[in-house]
Amino acid sequence: MFNIATLAVATTAALHLKSATGELLFADTARKLPIRIHVHGPGSAAYGVVESRQSTRALKRMDDNDGKVVAAAPEERAKAVAEDLAAITVSFENFEYRPEGAAKDSPSLTGEDLFRAVYSDQRLGFIAKQVSKFVGDWGNFSAASTAA
């Protein structure tokens, strides 16, 4: 008899980020330090919390609009996406984020504040798109995918 539990996916995996032009990103010229984002996957409790939050928002929007399905305003959607992605992000690897105009010696953001800032920056929208696509694919969290 086959033990189906052997097919369980990992709860986290690392996404090697690509630039807006599709090139893999590295923090060094020797290409030994990949720029990655570690995220909770669809088989994790953190992801379940985010899915529940998304359902609650959609139901509230319907309730507020007499049962009609209504899309969120662009600003509201962008904020929700940034919050959701920040909630499932474990860590950033080999990069930091300093908003435009921040002093070079100012402290860098950390944790969920850092994640939310990156995902909220529309000029870095290609990052949020990559993370959303990555976490939507269960295969990225399979034993073979997470072993690398």
Side-chain angles (χ1 to χ4, degrees):
M1 187 69 65
F2 180 73
N3 180 3
I4 199 74
T6 61
L7 299 178
V9 297
T11 56
T12 62
L15 162 64
H16 189 160
L17 283 179
K18 294 179 181 177
S19 68
T21 60
E23 298 173 50
L24 287 173
L25 294 173
F26 293 88
D28 62 333
T29 55
R31 299 175 63 86
K32 294 193 186 277
L33 297 172
I35 292 178
R36 296 192 284 205
I37 297 179
H38 297 261
V39 291
H40 291 285
S44 69
Y47 191 89
V49 168
V50 168
E51 280 187 317
S52 178
R53 189 167 52 201
Q54 291 170 340
S55 295
T56 300
R57 280 195 302 256
L59 290 172
K60 181 178 181 336
R61 220 175 12 262
M62 278 182 59
D63 190 44
D64 291 348
N65 291 285
D66 299 321
K68 296 177 186 157
V69 177
V70 177
E75 310 80 36
E76 183 183 337
R77 174 152 169 63
K79 182 180 177 195
V81 167
E83 287 175 2
D84 292 347
L85 292 178
I88 61 168
T89 298
V90 176
S91 63
F92 287 168
E93 183 180 349
N94 296 321
F95 74 101
E96 65 180 3
Y97 175 79
R98 290 195 193 277
E100 191 172 306
K104 286 190 178 204
D105 60 349
S106 67
S108 184
L109 297 171
T110 60
E112 216 168 301
D113 291 335
L114 168 63
F115 308 149
R116 198 174 6 272
V118 169
Y119 297 136
S120 295
D121 189 332
Q122 287 192 324
R123 296 165 305 153
L124 297 173
F126 62 94
I127 293 174
K129 291 283 186 196
Q130 285 178 66
V131 174
S132 293
K133 184 177 178 184
F134 184 83
V135 299
D137 184 348
W138 282 77
N140 291 324
F141 298 85
S142 69
S145 294
T146 57

